[in-house]
Structures are given as C-alpha cells and as structure tokens.
Amino acid sequence: MMMRALFMALVMAFATPAFADPETAKPDDEKTESKPVPDPVMFESKHSGVFGGQKIAYHVEAGETYIANEEGDPAASLFTISYIRDNAGADRPVTFVFNGGPGSASVWLNLGLLGPKRVEVASDADADDGAAPYRLLDNEQSMLNVTDLVFIDPVGTGYSRVVGDGENADYWNEDGDASSIAEFIRIWITKHKRWNAPKYLAGESFGTTRAAYLANELTTGDVDIALNGIVLISQALDYEGSTSVDDNVYSYITYLPSMAAAAQYHGKAGQGVAQADFLGEARAFARDEYGPALLKGDRLSPDERAHIRDRLAYFTGLDPVYIERSSLRILMPRFQKELLRDRGLALGRLDGRYAGDEADDIAETPEDDAASYFVSSAYSALMNQYLSTDLGVEMDRPYMVSSNEAGSQWDFDDKAEGESWEPHYVNVGRQLTTAMRHNTALKVMVASGYYDLICPFFDAEITFGRYGIPQDRVALTYYQGGHMMYLNDGAMDALVADIRTFYAGNLKDARPD
C-alpha cells in the first residue's frame, strides 16, 4: 500500500515553498518537450484451456490503448491483457482487474488468481522461491468460464506510460488514475460491444482503494457505466485502520486480532483454542476493552493497566515486560520483529505466516518483508517469460512489475478545489457508498486473509459497518492466508469458490455475529 508515499507527500507539501524560485522559473509559454507518440501496438493470440471444469477456447489481446487529454491528443498509453472467450455474445460478463501499490502492475491477480496461468510457489510459506527455473502452471481455477478478464496496468506500471504531452503527475493521483481507467473501460466495452453486458471490477490492496473511487467515477462521471459487482481483495478503503504508526489510536484496535492470528499460527498464543474462538475473543477485547483503555491512556489505574497488559500478552504472545515498556501500544513492525526474536526470525508483513532469517537480530523492526521476497522473483521472471512466449509480446522497454517511482511520487492529496490543506488519511468509503446508492444492483465482495499484517481483517469489518454502505449487498469472507491469500492453495480454492458464488448472485457473508 506504500503508506510511505503518503508520508512523503505530506512532508513535501510542507517543505515546498508556495512561490517559484526566480532562478528556475520558466516562462508561461515555455512547454515541456513532447514525448513521441508511436502507433499503439496490439499482440493477439489464440489459446484454450479447462477452467471451472469447462473446455474454453479464448483469444488474448495484449497491447496498448491510448488515452487522450482534454485537447484530444494521446497523452497516456495503458497496456492491458484481455482474455476473451471465442464467440462471446454481447451479454458475456467482463471483469476489469488491477492490483495496487500504487505502482504495481496487475501481474499478481493475473498469474496468482484469476488468469489462465498460475505461478507455483510454496503454499505453506516455509520456503522462498529461490532462483530460476520456476514453474508456470495451468490455472483450472480461472474464472474464464464465467467472465472475460481484462487486466489493466495503470500509467507507470507494466508497459504503460505517458506519451505526447502527458506527464506522470497527471495520472499519479486519484483523479487522473480514475479518469484514465474509466476512459479505457469505455473504449473497451465500445470496441467489444459489451455496453449491455454485466460488468465487474476486481482489485487488491490499493487496487481496492482504486475500485471504490473508480466505481464512483463510473457512476457519477460524464459517461454512466453501471457495475454489477466489485471484488475487493485485502480492502484498503480507510487508511486510518491500516496504518500502524505512533499516535494513530484506531490502528492499535484494528491490528490486534491480526497479531493474535499470527501469534497462534506460530505457536506463541492461543494454543488449544479453536481459531474462531480465539479470534472472536481478540475482536471483543480490542473493541470493548482495549479501545477504551487506549483512550484513558496514562489515567488507567494500576489494576486496569495490569489487566490490559496481561490480556495483550495472552493474545500476542509477547512478553508482558515488553508490552509494559511499549506503553501497551505495539506497532505492527515491532510485532513482526519481536514475536519470533528468540528464533532469529522476522514475520512477513504481507503475510504473517512467512518468517525471514535476518542478519540483525537486535533491530527494532524487520529490514524487509519476507512475504514479498519469498515470491516476487518467481512472479517477475514468469510474467516476462509468459508475455514473450505464450502471448508473443515484443516491446522496447522493461515490464515494470513494481514501480518505486510511481509509488513514491503518488499524490494522495484528494482535497476538493479551494479547500484548505491539512493532513488526513486516505478514505474512499463514502465514494463506494455513493456508487452503491446510485446503483442499487451493485454488490460487493470483500476478501480478507487472517494473516494479512497490512490490511487487517478487523478493519474490514469496522469499515464496512460504517459510511452508510448498504449491508444487504456486502459479503465479507475470510481465508487462511495473508494479503495475497491465494498463495495458499487451500485458501485459493476457497476464495475462487466464493467468487463464483458471488458472480452467481448469491452473497455469502461470513462476518461473525
């Protein structure tokens, strides 16, 4: 989710003067040199496979779609991969898919969950992907028997880029991102004659943030495109609940049940207690006791403080002395390093099942995310191999699986024009509410992993109980995995089954009472 980008955006807003340096200011009539606008490329190929028990013949369109600026000139090139069933009718459903970051290409949901091919990595999270060769498997779980799939790489990711007079800054913000992707969707459904077909969005992590503001754009923008459903994987609608930093009191509440899940998984807490019962206890404690205690702060009585300390030790598996020294507030990065410190291991952030062996055993926080580097090399290598061999794509630039530049330079300041500036967390909850209330057929599925230590499952429960989101059109589901729960084979099977149920029109809400 790259919350560091939010922090840097805030820092730069304070650090940048409101006037131009006369030494470097440019005349108004001086324009940045335009980038070339070569003809867009499109690579087409034919394939077949067995998906959902059905033999499906399909073709792939992998290539560029140009997005025009206000003057009607090409300003951005979106590279997308469309999997289209042969002889699909005008009412064939289509799903537009993207990952998050911001700065991530759609490789993860493509080769991890929904696409016709799947990267093989260790399901039990006990081994990293090592070095090539890796294995790309047929994905019989793909949704291609139910819906066409269009994977979108936003500007600066994959092969997507600005062209002509376009600037990255035009698209590395909510408005530019939403308008460019909405325009691509309009172009795609027009080209493929799918205006009257069921339409879905699927996003992961920041991609769920994108899905919410994109749904609002499609609903309230100049061109009305009604959606049938949205699949949110590891939701991040309200960043207050998924930002573990000092003084964000709310985050200590939202993260506590995820800490309990990870501690139980690694044998540090909850032994002999069923997971559902243990996490139910953790939810109740976080909501009913821990939250009020945090608000009392140093005004807790000694007995109250000792009770909260001991209950935190019970749920997190951490030493009561460490919890006391932390003033009853455990930041997630510290928890990652502390839980298995006795084994010299640090938990992964994307998935707390993973544990990496780091050289510095006395550091306060992990040096990296084991859940990322245990799988990223395989995905990067196989995506590039798949593009060039199976899909016949030949490009003159690298495929950006993850763009640090796009992530670090993303403008999170979404204030309305004319508003005074002040720090705030990203929150698109109300935009999803607007989309759902303008379109009473729109349904939402929210998938959460118990061991996701970035986007906690308890935050999903709290978020979707607020903002006026219609409860009867939301289904929350849970899986034995992390941020990318589909890395666990069993969790992937359950997730795909739930998505199929959702597409069939049967909501399956698994929230505890």
Side-chain angles (χ1 to χ4, degrees):
M1 294 192 350
M2 303 207 62
M3 287 308 302
R4 183 177 61 179
L6 173 58
F7 170 75
M8 290 303 297
L10 301 181
V11 171
M12 291 304 295
F14 281 117
T16 305
F19 51 88
D21 184 341
E23 295 290 327
T24 59
K26 295 182 180 180
D28 291 341
D29 59 353
E30 185 177 335
K31 297 181 179 179
T32 303
E33 183 178 351
S34 296
K35 289 167 281 297
V37 185
D39 292 336
V41 298
M42 184 65 67
F43 303 90
E44 300 188 17
S45 53
K46 289 188 170 294
H47 308 265
S48 66
V50 176
F51 311 112
Q54 297 181 35
K55 180 72 176 292
I56 304 293
Y58 65 98
H59 59 281
V60 179
E61 297 174 358
E64 298 174 301
T65 298
Y66 282 176
I67 306 299
N69 57 20
E70 293 181 354
E71 289 73 36
D73 300 319
S77 167
L78 291 188
F79 189 91
T80 62
I81 301 175
S82 300
Y83 300 98
I84 305 169
R85 184 170 185 169
D86 290 354
N87 303 314
D91 59 352
R92 163 87 164 159
V94 56
T95 303
F96 298 95
V97 188
F98 32 76
N99 272 90
S104 174
S106 59
V107 53
W108 310 101
L109 288 178
N110 189 345
L111 297 187
L113 177 63
L114 296 173
K117 300 291 182 180
R118 180 170 73 89
V119 173
E120 181 183 52
V121 293
S123 175
D124 53 8
D126 66 349
D128 84 34
D129 50 12
Y134 307 107
R135 293 184 65 199
L136 189 65
L137 309 176
D138 292 334
N139 182 17
E140 295 185 4
Q141 299 276 37
S142 173
M143 296 287 294
L144 260 175
N145 65 309
V146 173
T147 175
D148 286 346
L149 298 164
V150 182
F151 293 88
I152 302 171
D153 292 338
V155 171
T157 72
Y159 289 128
S160 298
R161 60 177 177 174
V162 291
V163 296
D165 291 329
E167 298 290 341
N168 285 327
D170 298 337
Y171 301 97
W172 290 350
N173 58 76
E174 180 180 312
D175 289 344
D177 188 61
S179 61
S180 62
I181 296 177
E183 174 62 4
F184 166 78
I185 291 174
R186 184 196 68 79
I187 293 170
W188 195 97
I189 61 176
T190 300
K191 173 185 175 182
H192 295 89
K193 298 179 173 56
R194 298 291 182 85
W195 273 94
N196 203 34
K199 303 170 193 69
Y200 295 82
L201 301 179
E204 178 183 291
S205 192
F206 179 82
T208 68
T209 314
R210 172 179 288 129
Y213 63 63
L214 178 58
N216 184 67
E217 172 72 18
L218 292 171
T219 302
T220 65
D222 294 336
V223 180
D224 186 352
I225 300 176
L227 298 169
N228 295 70
I230 305 176
V231 178
L232 303 178
I233 298 173
S234 303
Q235 72 83 38
L237 267 57
D238 179 355
Y239 280 36
E240 188 175 10
S242 54
T243 306
S244 181
V245 293
D246 286 321
D247 303 323
N248 178 12
V249 174
Y250 178 53
S251 69
Y252 294 108
I253 299 168
T254 57
Y255 276 110
L256 190 279
S258 295
M259 291 181 180
Q264 186 180 43
Y265 179 87
H266 290 286
K268 292 289 188 174
Q271 298 307 287
V273 182
Q275 183 189 61
D277 294 337
F278 188 58
L279 297 186
E281 287 184 71
R283 288 178 174 99
F285 168 74
R287 179 186 60 241
D288 301 334
E289 296 187 71
Y290 190 35
L294 289 168
L295 295 180
K296 281 189 175 182
D298 291 339
R299 292 184 178 273
L300 285 170
S301 70
D303 287 346
E304 289 173 321
R305 186 178 183 89
H307 171 72
I308 296 298
R309 179 199 63 213
D310 292 344
R311 292 296 282 168
L312 285 172
Y314 170 75
F315 288 115
T316 67
L318 300 180
D319 189 326
V321 174
Y322 180 85
I323 294 172
E324 184 70 48
R325 292 175 60 193
S326 301
S327 296
L328 310 182
R329 295 166 173 83
I330 310 298
L331 292 174
M332 181 55 77
R334 293 176 179 171
F335 173 78
Q336 291 174 252
K337 190 70 174 180
E338 191 66 25
L339 183 69
L340 301 182
R341 190 181 292 277
D342 58 339
R343 305 180 198 171
L345 302 174
L347 300 189
R349 186 70 181 272
L350 289 167
D351 190 330
R353 297 179 305 141
Y354 291 82
D357 184 2
E358 299 182 343
D360 189 349
D361 289 336
I362 63 169
E364 180 185 14
T365 61
E367 64 182 31
D368 209 339
D369 185 355
S372 176
Y373 64 74
F374 269 43
V375 301
S376 59
S377 297
Y379 273 83
S380 178
L382 290 177
M383 185 63 185
N384 279 277
Q385 187 77 10
Y386 175 63
L387 285 165
S388 62
T389 55
D390 293 51
L391 304 187
V393 173
E394 296 180 0
M395 301 294 284
D396 61 356
R397 54 190 183 274
Y399 185 86
M400 301 297 293
V401 171
S402 180
S403 169
N404 289 327
E405 183 182 15
S408 63
Q409 295 184 22
W410 190 273
D411 182 4
F412 284 94
D413 185 7
D414 60 353
K415 69 180 184 299
E417 186 175 354
E419 267 187 17
S420 60
W421 185 92
E422 62 181 52
H424 64 285
Y425 287 96
V426 172
N427 190 335
V428 294
R430 293 289 178 187
Q431 288 165 275
L432 180 61
T433 298
T434 297
M436 294 185 73
R437 290 185 177 271
H438 282 214
N439 172 7
T440 57
L442 176 56
K443 299 179 180 180
V444 178
M445 173 181 167
V446 185
S448 299
Y450 285 123
Y451 310 112
D452 186 346
L453 304 186
I454 288 185
C455 297
F457 66 87
F458 194 43
D459 178 49
E461 296 171 15
I462 297 174
T463 294
F464 278 83
R466 299 188 292 170
Y467 306 120
I469 296 173
Q471 296 298 294
D472 61 339
R473 288 185 276 135
V474 174
L476 267 63
T477 56
Y478 305 83
Y479 306 93
Q480 299 296 329
H483 200 68
M484 298 178 287
M485 67 285 295
Y486 45 83
L487 297 180
N488 180 334
D489 291 343
M492 179 177 179
D493 293 344
L495 175 59
V496 171
D498 287 338
I499 295 175
R500 291 184 183 280
T501 298
F502 178 71
Y503 272 65
N506 302 313
L507 287 173
K508 181 185 176 182
D509 193 294
R511 271 177 284 191
D513 294 333

